[in-house]
Amino acid sequence: MSIIDPRTGNPLTAEPAPNTHTPTDSERPTVTREEVIIELNAGNIQQVLEASMQVPVLLDCWAPWCEPCKNLMPVLEKLAVEYGGAFLLATLDVEANPEIAGQLGVRSVPDVKLVSQGGLVDSFQGALPEKEVREWLNRYFPAPGDAPPSPEEQAEEALSAGDAAGAREIYQTLIGQYPEHYAYQIGLAKALVAEGRGDEARSVLDNLPPEERDAAPARGVRASIEFSEQALSTEEIAALGDRTDSEAQYQRALRQVADGQYDAGLEALLALMKQDRAYNDDAARKTLLQVFDALGADHPLTVTYRRKLFALLY
């Protein structure tokens, strides 16, 4: 499909020949910002709507006084270029163009609308983080194969690689941009726990709204803080030597969990349940449930070991 520039009426890309293969990412022509982004106004709105008959148009309705709009616009501009002309991005200043905003039914900003064939396909309101914008776009457009990792993915990768300080810095930046996206604050708390700053992590969680503070993700981080605080130090674990009593087994398992060695820790806790269910008022089972909370209900280890726990109990 040829992409038409609504400013000139000229095609931005050539019409593909019939019966040709879909180009790969390396074969797709690169586009510049100027080719895929246009400022919408009364003078070109008709051309933009006509252009949507050839290529989808993403309308970003914003206002100069809107801070969330200022956070969202660079994300949309980046993605418009990254998606290589799969859609045009048209930005509309609703204050400068109130009549157009009224015709489009804009009641609050930011308001993003996907228009194709002259009609509304979908929309979202509010400044979604980059990861969520990508997920929304991917409902309608193939994701670029060479897309760089989103900030959220970079933070997760840093945390997995043991770079807790790097993850913390990314989450702090994201929180500054999206203060009401509470998943970032929970991510920050995770990074703080990994840095050994449990008190600061607990403070972050305590400042969440009640419905977020009591939900599974936040409970999981609290459980991680408790594991770190309860577990013996590496030196103390070494001092246990060859002890095989229930207390020694439990402390080794707790240290493994605190260090993120969940598979080994869960297996050790399950073994302790089989051997000494009564140990410390059923501590092994209770800790298993805490680990499930920390990992989340959908985590593969939670699914596997919850099934094993059920088989052991019943």
Side-chain angles (χ1 to χ4, degrees):
M1 177 182 294
S2 177
I3 300 174
I4 305 299
D5 187 339
R7 292 161 292 195
T8 65
N10 297 323
L12 294 176
T13 59
E15 184 75 31
N19 301 320
T20 57
H21 77 287
T22 301
T24 64
D25 289 318
S26 61
E27 295 171 329
R28 285 180 186 145
T30 57
V31 298
T32 65
R33 183 184 184 282
E34 290 72 23
E35 287 178 315
V36 292
I37 302 173
I38 182 173
E39 184 176 334
L40 189 63
N41 55 51
N44 63 12
I45 184 172
Q46 189 57 41
Q47 290 176 303
V48 169
L49 290 176
E50 290 173 0
S52 76
M53 303 300 293
Q54 301 294 322
V55 61
V57 175
L58 198 64
L59 297 178
D60 175 24
C61 304
W62 66 284
W65 46 262
C66 171
E67 286 300 321
C69 297
K70 296 175 184 177
N71 290 325
L72 179 62
M73 187 176 291
V75 172
L76 296 179
E77 292 177 347
K78 169 189 170 184
L79 295 177
V81 174
E82 188 179 301
Y83 275 70
F87 59 87
L88 292 177
L89 175 63
T91 64
L92 176 70
D93 179 348
V94 298
E95 281 205 340
N97 300 276
E99 291 186 5
I100 298 177
Q103 292 169 2
L104 293 173
V106 177
R107 292 181 174 80
S108 64
V109 289
D111 187 341
V112 178
K113 302 177 184 295
L114 179 61
V115 176
S116 181
Q117 301 292 310
L120 179 65
V121 175
D122 200 355
S123 66
F124 69 82
Q125 288 72 43
L128 297 184
E130 181 179 326
K131 184 178 181 181
E132 293 186 24
V133 176
R134 285 182 183 276
E135 291 170 353
W136 186 84
L137 287 172
N138 290 345
R139 300 177 195 171
Y140 307 102
F141 308 105
D146 56 353
S150 67
E152 297 94 332
E153 292 168 335
Q154 292 176 32
E156 291 168 4
E157 289 172 4
L159 206 51
S160 298
D163 182 12
R168 170 175 49 79
E169 291 175 1
I170 295 172
Y171 281 125
Q172 287 171 331
T173 299
L174 289 170
I175 289 169
Q177 296 173 328
Y178 307 100
E180 295 185 359
H181 193 72
Y182 300 114
Y184 294 149
Q185 297 185 40
I186 293 171
L188 173 60
K190 286 182 182 178
L192 289 168
V193 172
E195 286 188 282
R197 299 160 66 173
D199 288 342
E200 292 177 60
R202 188 179 283 109
S203 178
V204 171
L205 298 175
D206 287 344
N207 286 321
L208 291 171
E211 64 275 11
E212 299 290 340
R213 188 171 60 238
D214 298 332
R219 292 202 315 270
V221 180
R222 286 188 189 279
S224 297
I225 297 172
E226 292 175 10
F227 297 146
S228 299
E229 293 175 342
Q230 294 171 11
L232 297 179
S233 68
T234 304
E235 294 76 14
E236 290 171 319
I237 292 294
L240 294 175
D242 296 331
R243 283 176 53 185
T244 59
D245 58 278
S246 296
E247 173 67 13
Q249 290 183 54
Y250 178 76
Q251 291 299 339
R252 290 191 188 100
L254 196 60
R255 183 69 258 170
Q256 289 172 320
V257 169
D259 290 340
Q261 300 172 27
Y262 292 112
D263 202 346
L266 286 166
E267 193 64 42
L269 290 167
L270 199 66
L272 179 56
M273 271 193 69
K274 293 178 182 178
Q275 175 185 306
D276 187 1
R277 175 71 186 275
Y279 165 73
N280 196 15
D281 192 24
D282 207 8
R285 182 185 65 83
K286 292 176 180 177
T287 304
L288 276 167
L289 297 179
Q290 280 187 296
V291 179
F292 296 160
D293 228 8
L295 294 174
D298 297 327
H299 194 285
L301 287 176
T302 300
V303 174
T304 298
Y305 280 92
R306 195 183 292 279
R307 187 182 303 117
K308 290 182 178 183
L309 176 61
F310 183 84
L312 180 62
L313 292 175
Y314 302 101

